[in-house]
Amino acid sequence: MTALCGTMASQAQIQTNAGVEYLQCMQKDMSTDFSDLANTYFLADSLVSFDTAKGEGLVEWKRYRLSPRQAFNLNGYWPVRMQMLDFPDAAYDNDPRLKLSLEFITPRTARIRMLTTPIEPKATDGESVMLCDAFKQRETSPGPSCRREEDSRSIRYSTDYGTIEIQKYPWRIVLKDAKGRVLTQTRHLIDNDSSQVKLLPFSFIKRGSDNSRSVNPVLTLAPGERIYGCGESFTSLNKVGQKVHLSVTDPQGPETDGQYKPVPFYFSNRGYGIFMHTSAPVTCDFGASYIGANRMFMGDELLDLFVFFGEPKDILDEYTNVTGKSPMLPLWSFGTWMSRITYFSQQEGLEIAKQLREHKIPSDVIHFDTGWFGVDWQCDYQFAKDRFENPVGMLRQLAKDGFHTCLWQLPYFTPKNRFFPEIVEKGLHVRNATGGMPYEDAVLDFSNPETVSWYQQKILGLLKQGVSTIKCDFGEAAPYNGFYHSGKGGLYEHNLYPLRYNKALWEAVEQQYPGNGIIWARSAWAGSQRYALHWGGDAATTNTGMLGDLRGGLSFGLSGFSFWSHDMGGFVTASPEDIYRRWLPFGFLSSHTRAHGAPPTEPWLISESFTEAFRECAEMKYKLMPYVYAQAKDCSERGLPMVRALLVEFPHDQGAWLVEDEYMFGSQMLVAPLLESGTGRDVYLPHGKWIDYQTGKVFEGGYQHIEAGRIPCVILVRDGSLIPHAPLAQRTDEIDWNKVEMKAYKADATKCSGLLFKPGDTKIQTIEQ
């Protein structure tokens, strides 16, 4: 017990002193650097000059230090003006005047950039892998016309959707909606005058240790304000009151505050959104340390913010116009994926396919996880010769039976891997200060074009044999102390690693199957939505694991990702039948559906009644495939999520902003999983009538207790919906699209409408009855 307590204490110390030491699995807390008494603090003070035609000017930053202060029973610190001791003093400015720029990209999107050094970075948007090609090409053209006004107090840029005001002194940036209501604004030092809490305002630091700089924009939080986004976060959807670390990590499951897929983007219920265009770690303190302030502690020395105006759908559309939209995925990918950790042989894979067909469980994909190599977990891109006698023949047989095949791999190579010497000899790995490796394993450096080419050739070798797609596992461990081919250090490359990894793999699949690119990835960063799709990681086989996955999927969808999946029943141990049974409808009513985890995951190995439950859920999705496919196409065009928080669809319903344990599946179906044992649950329904998908019973908007149907889940349809259904098929390529039926769900509605998009179509149809 003593040893255990000592370990826990040391871990707590590491967590609270984030700048001192990190375990590989831990997030970076950038906020600690902004309370270090050894650092110099520069506080944004006044606008010195500004050219409204060019959208450029200079901001004066006042130099401060943090001074300890005793006040009876507390010791704290206050910012105190400082005269520099830098030598030679003529070479530096005590209070530097540094560049600020502002431009509107579209009527709803503006960009604000600020420097913390007189030297402008050489990097251009063309080099940013976070920004999509369409945005990069579009940026060279003139921005939208906006109204520019200036008086003695401020400069204002306005469009029909909002205003950005730059106040001269005290310097502030103020965001206003189209009616002139202040949405948020930056904090200035004088805002502390009315409070005993002396909060650092909008500032940047110069570290006393090495003169490196990091910026800390600080915005106000209004009473009742709610913040959403930040990636696949497993904590409460509303981030106000939380401290969110945007640094890629392996949290070991969706039950902690760590993230496989952080995204430096969020939006507010007040009608604005922010994209922090950076790959450096960020800690967002959304009112956690001071309830009226949103403090973004950024590792980056450059501030590059995209600001969006509008409701959630507008903001998601604008954000994904900048970073890219999820591509439409192949029809087969929306079918059932059957997997476990792991199938070890050709015989086993073919037997699983046979059993799926014999048990009449509609399905389209067989996934081989870590065991298809000669040595389990030892990625060498070759089927084990003693267990896969004829892999090409196996792939052909599976394809004949209507199955696509997915294979697992990872980007780390142990010293015993046969490719390890080649990777080291060719310098394809991330390096340390000596040119060696930061740790024992060789970590592929995807910022190196030669590494990408080497890797893609290995992947293409598998795809050419008949493999349909590849699992893009791991990717969270790019060393912070590494040296990368890009010329950047680990502080900037760590978070980019998943994006580069996703991109390299997706492009290989797209090269082999043009127009059908798809991967199955765990880690991500801003822009990874262009390389779909992603799943929720290694969930516990508990109610908590199910809730964590649901929250993570909703938050991920609020961060620009259209497609997402999770391991039905959880991953870690064999799933208890009750949990697995309740998880099934949640899994089948997600964009993508996979059974995966510790065996048994196959329903016929659990019980006959469970097999029937599994089959019934699979049949439901396959009958709904025309709805799924049309909604997926709509999502890919508008940056919307398939697993959708109610607030996206009902932004004017205040209750919808509070819900985080139910969701819209597309735009017309509401799903409320049973997160605990039982036959029903309390559900919040937005205003209007709702029809039970299973029983046909009609419910009014508001809070209701609803019993689940035969499928253990509350599934409802919006009044006035046309939901396309297809005759049941055992595989997606056998769906008869000529027999699609538009089923009307109507209570008070006088007419019904729905979307239809068939394979081969170029445009979504809106059908009305």
Side-chain angles (χ1 to χ4, degrees), residues 224-367:
E225 183 163 5
R226 304 174 71 84
I227 298 290
Y228 297 85
C230 293
E232 189 194 45
S233 174
F234 309 118
T235 57
S236 182
L237 292 186
N238 176 21
K239 300 308 173 194
V240 172
Q242 299 184 44
K243 195 173 183 181
V244 182
H245 303 297
L246 302 178
S247 51
V248 176
T249 188
D250 177 357
Q252 299 287 289
E255 301 90 26
T256 74
D257 64 346
Q259 292 191 62
Y260 302 104
K261 312 172 190 66
V263 178
F265 162 80
Y266 64 86
F267 64 87
S268 165
N269 64 336
R270 292 176 65 80
Y272 71 91
I274 301 285
F275 168 45
M276 297 164 276
H277 181 212
T278 181
S279 60
V282 180
T283 292
C284 292
D285 182 330
F286 295 117
S289 60
Y290 186 80
I291 63 173
N294 167 8
R295 311 168 73 189
M296 293 168 273
F297 300 100
M298 303 176 70
D300 209 324
E301 66 175 25
L302 170 69
L303 180 68
D304 188 2
L305 300 181
F306 287 82
V307 177
F308 311 102
F309 293 99
E311 294 182 348
K313 284 186 178 180
D314 303 318
I315 292 171
L316 288 171
D317 190 29
E318 293 287 317
Y319 166 66
T320 53
N321 282 340
V322 172
T323 57
K325 288 180 162 56
S326 299
M328 182 58 177
L329 297 178
L331 175 63
W332 60 262
S333 73
F334 296 98
T336 308
W337 297 51
M338 181 53 70
S339 176
R340 64 156 63 177
I341 184 164
T342 175
Y343 301 135
F344 282 103
S345 69
Q346 175 175 323
Q347 180 181 359
E348 195 172 9
L350 291 172
E351 179 62 23
I352 293 298
K354 178 184 176 184
Q355 290 294 326
L356 285 166
R357 294 291 181 242
E358 287 186 354
H359 286 90
K360 296 190 179 302
I361 295 172
S363 45
D364 275 78
V365 185
I366 301 293
H367 170 70

Side-chain angles (χ1 to χ4, degrees), residues 163-239:
T163 294
I164 296 182
E165 179 180 4
I166 306 173
Q167 295 182 357
K168 297 179 180 180
Y169 182 82
W171 180 84
R172 299 184 197 278
I173 292 179
V174 184
L175 306 186
K176 298 180 180 180
D177 66 14
K179 296 181 179 179
R181 180 181 70 135
V182 173
L183 303 176
T184 188
Q185 60 186 12
T186 58
R187 284 183 60 99
H188 188 278
L189 185 62
I190 65 171
D191 294 330
N192 288 333
D193 291 352
S194 58
S195 172
Q196 288 198 107
V197 178
K198 305 307 178 186
L199 187 72
L200 275 174
F202 197 114
S203 59
F204 72 85
I205 57 171
K206 184 174 74 170
R207 292 177 178 81
S209 58
D210 60 5
N211 290 334
S212 63
R213 301 170 188 236
S214 290
V215 67
N216 175 210
V218 181
L219 302 175
T220 57
L221 281 174
E225 183 163 5
R226 304 174 71 84
I227 298 290
Y228 297 85
C230 293
E232 189 194 45
S233 174
F234 309 118
T235 57
S236 182
L237 292 186
N238 176 21
K239 300 308 173 194

Side-chain angles (χ1 to χ4, degrees), residues 600-673:
T601 58
E602 303 79 11
W604 56 88
L605 298 179
I606 297 174
S607 72
E608 185 176 342
S609 67
F610 183 77
T611 302
E612 292 176 3
F614 195 105
R615 181 189 304 113
E616 192 164 6
C617 288
E619 288 178 349
M620 173 179 62
K621 185 172 189 181
Y622 275 67
K623 291 175 184 177
L624 279 169
M625 199 59 72
Y627 174 79
V628 173
Y629 199 59
Q631 292 288 327
K633 179 62 174 176
D634 185 53
C635 288
S636 71
E637 291 184 351
R638 299 200 286 155
L640 296 174
M642 282 284 285
V643 173
R644 186 176 307 176
L646 270 60
L647 64 91
V648 176
E649 204 61 39
F650 304 96
H652 302 292
D653 185 321
Q654 294 306 306
W657 291 84
L658 307 177
V659 177
E660 56 183 43
D661 61 355
E662 56 189 84
Y663 62 96
M664 296 297 294
F665 182 47
S667 62
Q668 296 179 303
M669 299 184 72
L670 186 149
V671 181

Side-chain angles (χ1 to χ4, degrees), residues 84-102:
M84 71 177 186
L85 300 174
D86 298 352
F87 179 84
D89 56 2
Y92 306 101
D93 294 320
N94 192 72
D95 300 325
R97 296 178 172 185
L98 302 170
K99 186 175 178 180
L100 158 72
S101 67
L102 167 64

